[in-house]
Amino acid sequence: VAVLGDQAVTSAGGTGTFASVIVRINEVITFPAIAVHIHGDDDITLAAVSNTNGIPIIYSIDQPGVAVLTGSKLHIVNAGTVMVTASQAGDEVNNAAKSVAQIITINKKFLTVTAKDVLRPFGQVNPVFSVGYEGFVNGDDESKLTALPAASSTATELSPAGTYDIVVAGGVSNNYEFNYVKGSLTISPPLNNFKVAANSVTCKGENNGSITITAAENSAYTAVITGNGLNKNYGFTNNTSINNLT
C-alpha cells in the first residue's frame, strides 16, 4: 500500500511524527506474448495489464509501415515484424513501470494464381496467356504486386496436337506468398489433318471392306467405326488400317 504524508510512529519511548513520508508502489506490467498473424487478419487487441489500475498503459510501435496503432488496437498494414512496447507512467505514490515489449510477426498471405486454359489450332503461335487470382485482402489487386506472375508453355506453333501445361512463375510481393496452379493448352489438329482412303469395297454378304486413315500430325487418336451392327474403337498415332468391314 502506498503511503503519502505525515506518519505517526509509536515506539517504547513514546509517539512521534515523521513529516512528509512517501512510500511508493512499484508498478509492474505483464504483457503476454502475441501469436503470429497473417497479412489481412483482423485487428489485434493488445492486452497488457498492471498491478496498479489507476494509471493507463500506453502502447507504442517501432514500425508504422507494418501496423497502425490506435489505443490498444493494432491494425495490420503489411507483412513484417513490429515491436509493441507497453509503458506506464508513475505519480506521487507509484513508481513508473519498466516498459515491456513484444515482437509481433506478420506473415505473408497465400495468393493462388491459376493459369487459364486455352484452346488453339495447330500451326498458330501461342496467345498471350492470362491468369486468375484468389486470396487478395484489404482491397488489394494485382497492382499491389511488385512483379506480376507470368504464364508460359513449352509448346510452339510446330508442336503436334495434344495437351500441354501452362505454368505460372515470377510473382514478387512483400505481402503474399504465391501458390501457382497450372492450366492446360490444348492444340487441336489442323482442319486437313486426316485422309481416309478406301482400300477395298465390301461385297454383298462379305466382310472384306478395308479403309486406311492417315493423320498429318502425330498424336493420340481414336477412330470410331459404327454401323451394320459394328461399334469399335481403333487407336492410332499416325495411320491405321481397318479391315474386315461389312
Side-chain angles (χ1 to χ4, degrees), residues 58 85 124 132 139 169 215 233:
I58 304 299
T85 302
Q124 293 187 5
N233 296 340

Side-chain angles (χ1 to χ4, degrees), residues 201-221:
V201 179
T202 303
C203 297
K204 184 176 181 180
E206 302 292 335
N207 63 343
N208 57 352
S210 175
I211 63 172
T212 297
I213 303 174
T214 303
E217 294 299 324
N218 292 347
S219 188
Y221 302 113

Side-chain angles (χ1 to χ4, degrees), residues 6-61:
D6 298 342
Q7 299 295 314
V9 177
T10 301
S11 67
T15 300
T17 300
F18 291 112
S20 301
V21 174
I22 301 176
V23 179
R24 293 187 175 93
I25 294 176
N26 291 325
E27 296 172 338
V28 178
I29 293 174
T30 301
F31 192 7
I34 300 172
V36 173
H37 281 68
I38 298 173
H39 175 62
D41 280 355
D42 292 337
D43 290 354
I44 302 169
T45 299
L46 305 174
V49 295
S50 172
N51 60 332
T52 61
N53 298 319
I55 302 173
I57 294 175
I58 304 299
Y59 298 98
S60 60
I61 59 175

Side-chain angles (χ1 to χ4, degrees), residues 43 61 63-70 73-77:
D43 290 354
I61 59 175
Q63 296 292 337
V66 174
V68 174
L69 181 64
T70 304
K73 295 285 188 180
L74 193 67
H75 176 69
I76 297 170
V77 177

Side-chain angles (χ1 to χ4, degrees), residues 42-153:
D42 292 337
D43 290 354
I44 302 169
T45 299
L46 305 174
V49 295
S50 172
N51 60 332
T52 61
N53 298 319
I55 302 173
I57 294 175
I58 304 299
Y59 298 98
S60 60
I61 59 175
D62 68 338
Q63 296 292 337
V66 174
V68 174
L69 181 64
T70 304
S72 61
K73 295 285 188 180
L74 193 67
H75 176 69
I76 297 170
V77 177
N78 291 300
T81 58
V82 56
M83 179 182 291
V84 182
T85 302
S87 305
Q88 188 178 30
D91 59 13
E92 289 182 316
V93 294
N94 294 283
N95 290 321
K98 180 180 179 180
S99 296
V100 180
Q102 294 290 354
I103 295 177
I104 305 174
T105 299
I106 312 298
N107 285 337
K108 295 181 180 182
K109 181 172 178 23
F110 274 104
L111 179 68
T112 299
V113 186
T114 303
K116 296 183 179 180
D117 295 340
V118 174
L119 171 66
R120 72 159 174 85
F122 168 81
Q124 293 187 5
V125 297
N126 291 331
V128 176
F129 300 120
S130 59
V131 299
Y133 297 92
E134 183 178 354
F136 280 121
V137 294
N138 296 341
D140 291 346
D141 56 26
E142 59 266 35
S143 68
K144 298 295 185 180
L145 303 179
T146 305
L148 294 177
S152 62
S153 176

